[in-house]
Amino acid sequence: MFALRQWWNQHALRTALIALAIATAWAVRETGASPIYEVYRWVTSPLHPGASRRDVLASSYTQELQQQIVELESQNRSLRQLLDAPRAETGASIPAAVIGRSAGEWWQQIVISRGSNAGVQVGYVVEGPGGLVGRVIAVSPSSSRVLLISDRTSRVGARVSRSRATGYVRGRMGQQVIMEFFDKMPEVREGDVVVTSSYSQLFPQDRVIGRVVSLDLSKSPAPEVTIELTAPLDILEWVEVVPFEPSEAPEDAPPAVLDSGDGLTP
Amino acid sequence: MTATVTTSLNKLKRYRWLNVAITLGSVWGCMMLLPVRPPGMELLGVGPSWLLIWVVAWSINRNVVDGAIAGLILGFLQDAMTGPYPTHAIGLVIVGMLTARIQKQRFIQEDFVSISMIVFGMAVVAQTAMALQITAQRLIQVGVSYPQLPEIWLQHQRIALSSAILSSLWAPALYYPLNRWWRHYTRVVAPPGNTP
């Protein structure tokens, strides 16, 4: 007992400091690292990609294509009105620079330069030149963290745009991802374009994911194909954050989709 | 006489605060370095594990408990910057304890090469701890269909090797200034032959 009290007298301050440090680290872990990323954004701000890149992005050619898209979308909308099939409207997108990569080796994340001050919220969808990139998982006032679709925990409900064969895409920590089909005999061949499906709850439908590069249709339990992502995730410099509210599960969706697709397992 | 004692006490106090500032500042600097990938700091999409290098530099001249505590705190901080599971804390605690356990005087001379070798080995240990956690999650949770085990361990090979190579190459850049300061600090605060 005496020895214990003597030890305490000698080490009380040290023990208290250690406990305080551990408690602080735990609190930071539980609340997310938004102060860390705020300072990170401030420190790295001279290194962010400059305005010239933005000019390139907003070149006249891009503008022309965008105008065409607007035209096609409005045509599409009027046709859909005729068909009585409403489509979720998406708001204006927020451009953001990629200022960092994932802080751990087992994650596929990027840090972007816009946060809640610019209106970014958790769950918003991030697109880059070429197609879908990922979704926002953490937001601080002036930066946010994006989970890429190549992360090993990422699932995206997807379909082959030519044959409408559905399945889900899961990440493999690289530029190539795997798509598993719900169907035993999906109609798919090399070169097919894969887009997000309407069963996807975390992503809007009809966003380009990638292109099929190889097939493994005899794979058990589900046939799968390898997809090359069209968005170059390794060299991304600018992305667009698209406002999106994760939707509720559609009632007529097949149960397999709800069980295994679309979710981001923690 | 009293004046000299007061000035030396003041100096000691200043040194203590400087030490706290340098220690915390270096941790903060390591965390700022984690998300950046300038040329030379990336191999197969993986950067150096700065916090692991810090834990090794800290533990190499300290005891097992200190090493474990540093590993725990820095592990939690890295979790905050990535995601809660798998946690980095387990790997870094093991690294801190192992590094403190190595009988340096007997086996390893303290120089850049041996520091790099220790960091190389410890990076592999830390990444193995991560892969084991993912494997455990895969085996315990029934609903998780992915990632499959061979795929996890293929990724483990790639990540462990590139992380170990890069971390061991960058280790002296952090270890040398930090350890030089800590040695200087110990000499000022508790000079040899004058220990209480």
Side-chain angles (χ1 to χ4, degrees), chain B residues 12 39 55 95 101 108 117 123 126 135 154 164:
Chain B
L12 274 187
V55 170
V95 166
R101 282 286 297 181
I108 297 178
M117 278 167 62
T135 309
L154 263 178

Side-chain angles (χ1 to χ4, degrees), chain A residues 14 37 46 63 67 83 91 97 108 134 177 179 187-188 196:
Chain A
R14 196 176 120 85
Y37 281 107
Q63 278 180 3
Q67 281 157 7
L83 287 169
Q108 295 277 308
V177 296
M179 177 171 177
E187 201 200 316
V188 59
T196 54

Side-chain angles (χ1 to χ4, degrees), chain A residues 14 21 26 28-29 33 36-37 39-40 100-107 109 145 152 155 170-172 266, chain B residues 28 32 35-37 46 49 66 73 76 78-82 84 86 88 127 130 134 137 146 151 155 159:
Chain A
R14 196 176 120 85
W26 178 262
V28 170
R29 181 182 191 265
I36 300 176
Y37 281 107
V39 179
Y40 174 77
R101 298 269 148 187
S102 59
E105 296 82 4
W106 290 85
W107 282 265
Q109 298 173 343
R145 211 143 34 98
R152 70 196 156 77
R155 310 284 157 83
R170 56 179 169 82
R172 220 172 51 166
Chain B
W28 189 264
M32 291 296 106
V36 285
R37 297 279 194 285
V46 175
S49 311
D66 284 357
I73 293 173
F76 284 163
Q78 196 170 5
D79 285 352
M81 295 183 73
T82 52
H88 295 86
Q127 300 304 341
M130 298 293 279
I134 300 175
Q137 182 194 31
Y146 178 77
E151 218 161 295
Q155 296 292 348
I159 292 175

Side-chain angles (χ1 to χ4, degrees), chain A residues 12-36:
Chain A
L13 180 66
R14 196 176 120 85
T15 317
L17 283 178
I18 290 173
L20 182 72
I22 294 179
T24 313
W26 178 262
V28 170
R29 181 182 191 265
E30 291 302 300
T31 53
S34 74
I36 300 176

Side-chain angles (χ1 to χ4, degrees), chain A residues 47-95:
Chain A
L47 305 171
H48 295 172
S52 59
R53 300 267 178 185
R54 200 201 297 259
D55 295 344
V56 173
L57 262 189
S59 65
S60 53
Y61 178 59
T62 321
Q63 278 180 3
E64 185 197 338
L65 288 179
Q66 279 171 346
Q67 281 157 7
Q68 283 181 10
I69 289 173
V70 169
E71 174 62 28
L72 289 172
E73 271 183 345
S74 69
Q75 278 183 20
N76 196 350
R77 206 177 301 127
S78 50
L79 288 173
R80 274 176 193 277
Q81 273 171 0
L82 288 179
L83 287 169
D84 200 22
R87 187 187 167 179
E89 291 290 325
T90 50
S93 62
I94 307 158

Side-chain angles (χ1 to χ4, degrees), chain A residues 5-18:
Chain A
R5 187 177 298 161
Q6 198 177 24
W7 181 89
W8 177 250
N9 283 341
Q10 277 180 5
H11 298 280
L13 180 66
R14 196 176 120 85
T15 317
L17 283 178
I18 290 173

